Amino acid sequence: MGHRLKTARRALLSSAALALMLAGGSAWAQAKEDPQEAHATTPGDQYQPSMTTLAEIQVEIPGRKEGDPVMTQEEFQLGTKIYFERCAGCHGVLRKGATGKPLTTDITRENGYDYLHSFITYGSPAGMPNWGTSGELTDETIDLMARYLLLEPPAPPEFGMPEMRDSWKLVVAPEDRPTKKMNDIDIENLMSVTLRDSGEIALIDGNTYEIRSVLKTGYAVHISRISASGRYLFVIGRDARVNMIDLWMEEPGTVAEIKIGMEARSVETSKMEGWEDKYAIAGAYWPPQYVIMDGDTLEPKKIVSTRGNIYDEQTYHPEPRVAAILASHYRPEFIVNVKETGKILLVDYTDLKNLKTTEIEAERFLHDGGLDSTHRYFITAANARNKLVVIDTKEGKLVAITDTEGLTPHPGRGANFVHPDFGPVWATSHLGDESVALIGTDPEGHADKAWKIVDTFEALGGGSLFIKTHPNSDNLYVDATLNPDAETSASVAVFKISDLKEGEEPEYTTLPIGEWAGVAEGQPRVVQPEFNKQGTEVWFSVWNAKDKESAIVVVDDKTLELKKVIKDPRLITPTGKFNVLNTQKDIY
Ligand code: DHE
């Protein structure tokens, strides 16, 4: 069955892309011969990092060379902004290439202005968006960008210990904090909700649905994680600002704050027994580094650059970004995904002066991932390579690298459940197609299934970002957030776990979450299922534009009926939701 589905799914690619892949040709070379080939951008092409904070830095035109195109300082500044927002995610901040090709001046000058202009306008089957024909960029902007790429790129500043210490604010010192919980909130059932475009989080009571507070955080705030004790909430913005929030205070609020770089996506805290709440860690996209901080104050202790060689080619990469970071439950270690070099680092935090790191050769373009139900194995997606990498966090080594049979796996932290035929599995959905893949996670009880894709079946459609279940639930929820079809992107597929059968394509129920939200204007997308602490309700964000009404929809997990719609003018662009207990204990 896996093979049949896989064949059907590949047909989702444009025929041009397929032809190219089968021919094994270089997309760059092909597009050069035929740059005007019609091409439409897929959700996977669009879902690329946008360096929004870097886009704001002031730059100067680097020293002019003979033959440089004419460009004013204002145009160069605008070109830099557009480049960091739209292009750097794939081509790299320094234009040395990542999932996209390098755009250094030796290459761009060889190809010339006309070629660059066409390439930006029409895109390429290999994944370059069709910025012009899609209407995203005007012809004037494309002209500017084609000229911009013929000039040397500006290098954004580093962000080391002096800058970090300057940004560090200890708002309430540990000795001035409460010694016991001072509020009546059921902290374990709080939901920390990302309000992406307002740079805030909302703390919503999971029992009463009441918004307990809205707190200012970093710009385009991204994720929340909870300390091992469940007391502290850590939030990171795309501007690399980390907020540490004390949930014991009468009014939960920020007790410490720091900026750990210019662009960042991940934060985590130490969870090993004996090391609970001792350290926090955050990873940056720019500069490429991670920093270990004191778990009580966020005082920066150790900054480690991730610049280095790509695991297989062993060539130097100047800006390997830090993607997901997880805390090990089996060793005093942080698990750090380094995207472009394809390395997973196990960073031992017991002795920061004599730092020991296990460097695992994994796969390039590591992104997100989570633990299996025993918390021993870390399963993560090398998404642009369609692979899952499995690490044994107890032994500290690579266990397997497995093709998911789908396109661009995007698990979030994934979903763990016991399949009626295959035993314990972990699931991921995909950005590039409608498939859900299950990987066996029980090497003791089901050795023949372990770390193999045991089944793959279809959900609503491509553009899925997150998948979720809970140990108390018999349902597996799969979103389709980035699906181009408005109705699909506003719905969720639900599979009954006990009905799943080997060799049978399972049926699913479609929940019209967007419709249930009753949002009158805009085209909201439904994103990220998250359970309450009891595992009886599942919450979805109905993510609309910044100036339009958004909502959170709560569904009863047993009946699959609508339980509550949470609406409030303060709920601006809600996306991720992090239940304190589930996040603290890695229950998913
Ligand atoms: Fe995320 C997790 C990076 C866009 C919502 N996102 C992650 C992680 C990474 C990442 C590396 C894993 C963190 C960890 O576990 O330590 N995200 C990126 C990007 O680079 C990307 C593609 C583009 C960008 O410029 O940032 C991106 N992410 C988004 C969004 O547009 C989403 C949908 C809405 C938003 O709020 O920004 C989004 N990302 C999330 C969420 C998680 C996440 C909700 C955590 C999921 C979980 O269950 O743990």
Side-chain angles (χ1 to χ4, degrees):
M1 182 184 64
H3 179 68
R4 178 181 57 77
L5 277 177
K6 190 168 168 177
T7 313
R9 261 181 234 124
R10 298 282 186 215
L12 288 175
L13 285 168
S14 71
S15 54
L18 195 59
L20 230 136
M21 280 173 61
L22 293 175
S26 136
W28 184 258
Q30 170 90 9
K32 187 166 181 177
E33 273 163 31
D34 185 14
Q36 310 213 352
E37 180 179 0
H39 166 72
T41 302
T42 64
D45 300 335
Q46 286 168 337
Y47 195 67
Q48 299 293 346
S50 171
M51 306 292 199
T52 41
T53 309
L54 281 185
E56 300 307 316
I57 63 170
Q58 292 301 305
V59 291
E60 293 204 352
I61 302 185
R64 285 193 168 274
K65 282 204 239 140
E66 179 141 349
D68 273 356
V70 179
M71 189 158 237
T72 64
Q73 174 60 35
E74 289 71 37
E75 284 181 315
F76 190 73
Q77 187 69 48
L78 181 61
T80 304
K81 181 173 165 58
I82 295 169
Y83 180 82
F84 283 151
E85 282 176 354
R86 312 256 187 169
C87 321
C90 291
H91 299 286
V93 168
L94 304 171
R95 301 203 330 226
K96 297 250 169 80
T99 46
K101 298 283 162 192
L103 292 171
T104 40
T105 48
D106 52 329
I107 299 168
T108 56
R109 285 172 169 241
E110 162 90 30
N111 286 308
Y113 171 89
D114 290 338
Y115 170 70
L116 290 168
H117 191 283
S118 295
F119 200 72
I120 302 169
T121 306
Y122 299 102
S124 85
M128 168 78 172
N130 52 335
W131 296 109
T133 48
S134 68
E136 290 261 348
L137 296 183
T138 62
D139 201 48
E140 205 185 353
T141 308
I142 293 171
D143 160 63
L144 175 95
M145 292 313 291
R147 284 183 290 134
Y148 176 81
L149 292 175
L150 294 167
L151 292 172
E152 291 300 327
E158 297 297 320
F159 205 91
M161 195 49 94
E163 292 81 10
M164 262 183 228
R165 287 200 80 89
D166 270 358
S167 75
W168 175 48
K169 286 186 210 137
L170 185 57
V171 184
V172 184
E175 58 274 20
D176 299 328
R177 294 179 202 156
T179 49
K180 58 178 177 29
K181 186 160 90 81
M182 300 301 286
N183 55 50
D184 62 352
I185 306 171
D186 175 5
I187 290 181
E188 288 191 340
N189 208 17
L190 261 188
M191 294 277 186
S192 174
V193 180
T194 297
L195 303 178
R196 190 187 198 274
D197 294 355
S198 65
E200 293 169 323
I201 54 146
L203 294 179
I204 306 186
D205 192 315
N207 301 323
T208 63
Y209 313 116
E210 183 197 342
I211 300 180
R212 302 292 298 227
S213 34
V214 174
L215 300 172
K216 204 74 213 144
T217 57
Y219 171 80
V221 51
H222 196 211
I223 66 162
S224 297
R225 294 288 186 242
I226 311 285
S227 73
S229 71
R231 171 176 181 173
Y232 292 111
L233 178 69
F234 295 84
V235 182
I236 191 151
R238 280 181 171 74
D239 57 356
R241 179 172 141 184
V242 180
N243 281 71
M244 178 178 170
I245 294 157
D246 185 357
L247 299 176
W248 279 12
M249 290 180 0
E250 204 173 322
E251 278 290 317
T254 294
V255 288
E257 182 183 311
I258 192 171
K259 225 170 119 54
I260 61 101
M262 313 277 290
E263 279 280 345
R265 300 293 183 274
S266 49
V267 66
E268 178 61 302
T269 89
S270 52
K271 289 191 173 167
M272 180 64 189
E273 208 183 319
W275 294 87
E276 293 94 339
D277 294 20
K278 178 91 175 115
Y279 290 117
I281 181 172
Y285 273 12
W286 186 270
Q289 62 193 20
Y290 62 85
V291 53
I292 300 176
M293 297 160 282
D294 184 280
D296 261 343
T297 62
L298 290 185
E299 182 179 5
K301 296 283 186 194
K302 182 99 186 174
I303 306 171
V304 183
S305 170
T306 51
R307 290 183 170 111
N309 288 348
I310 299 170
Y311 86 95
D312 54 352
E313 288 170 7
Q314 310 215 18
T315 51
Y316 182 70
H317 199 290
E319 47 172 307
R321 291 171 265 212
V322 176
I325 303 183
L326 268 89
S328 169
H329 294 257
Y330 281 82
R331 290 175 171 203
E333 287 178 344
F334 290 121
I335 308 160
V336 178
N337 270 358
V338 187
K339 206 184 257 280
E340 280 76 16
T341 50
K343 292 174 179 172
I344 298 177
L345 308 178
L346 306 180
V347 181
D348 179 333
Y349 48 69
T350 53
D351 182 358
L352 299 187
K353 284 260 176 272
N354 302 287
L355 193 75
K356 288 194 209 71
T357 302
T358 306
E359 184 186 284
I360 298 177
E361 293 182 5
E363 180 54 281
R364 293 184 72 180
F365 312 119
L366 298 163
H367 193 70
D368 49 357
L371 300 170
D372 77 309
S373 60
T374 68
H375 295 162
R376 173 169 171 177
Y377 298 97
F378 172 55
I379 308 156
T380 186
N383 60 9
R385 290 276 162 95
N386 307 321
K387 297 237 165 45
L388 295 178
V389 178
V390 184
I391 301 294
D392 181 345
T393 68
K394 188 173 171 198
E395 297 295 327
K397 52 182 189 207
L398 178 75
V399 176
I401 301 180
T402 309
D403 194 309
T404 69
E405 301 184 11
L407 293 171
T408 326
H410 192 279
R413 284 165 290 167
N416 285 295
F417 59 89
V418 180
H419 187 285
D421 296 324
F422 305 122
V425 295
W426 180 93
T428 182
S429 54
H430 292 81
L431 249 172
D433 64 30
E434 68 286 3
S435 69
V436 172
L438 309 184
I439 184 168
T441 58
D442 182 22
E444 309 265 293
H446 298 78
D448 57 323
K449 310 272 186 300
W451 320 126
K452 297 192 179 106
I453 299 298
V454 292
D455 201 5
T456 163
F457 49 82
E458 293 179 7
L460 280 180
S464 175
L465 290 179
F466 300 108
I467 183 164
K468 193 63 60 85
T469 186
H470 185 280
N472 298 343
S473 168
D474 188 31
N475 290 321
L476 177 69
Y477 297 84
V478 187
D479 67 17
T481 313
L482 297 183
N483 195 282
D485 176 64
E487 200 180 318
T488 308
S489 74
S491 303
V492 163
V494 193
F495 295 88
K496 202 163 163 32
I497 291 170
S498 51
D499 282 354
L500 297 175
K501 274 202 181 57
E502 181 170 5
E504 266 182 33
E505 185 70 22
E507 297 199 346
Y508 57 82
T509 308
T510 305
L511 304 183
I513 303 288
E515 199 185 307
W516 284 351
V519 167
E521 267 185 278
Q523 216 183 76
R525 295 174 182 276
V526 169
V527 67
Q528 207 233 12
E530 178 77 354
F531 274 87
N532 63 350
K533 78 161 178 183
Q534 299 88 347
T536 53
E537 289 173 359
V538 58
W539 295 34
F540 298 93
S541 300
V542 179
W543 172 22
N544 212 343
K546 190 179 177 180
D547 57 348
K548 305 242 162 22
E549 184 180 59
S550 288
I552 288 175
V553 167
V554 181
V555 173
D556 184 300
D557 178 62
K558 281 270 167 314
T559 62
L560 297 186
E561 280 168 10
L562 172 66
K563 195 150 181 196
K564 176 81 186 168
V565 177
I566 309 174
K567 282 190 186 168
D568 190 291
R570 291 171 293 172
L571 279 187
I572 298 163
T573 58
T575 53
K577 297 161 297 305
F578 304 89
N579 171 270
V580 167
L581 186 76
N582 295 336
T583 311
Q584 173 196 354
K585 304 275 185 208
D586 288 295
I587 301 169
Y588 37 79

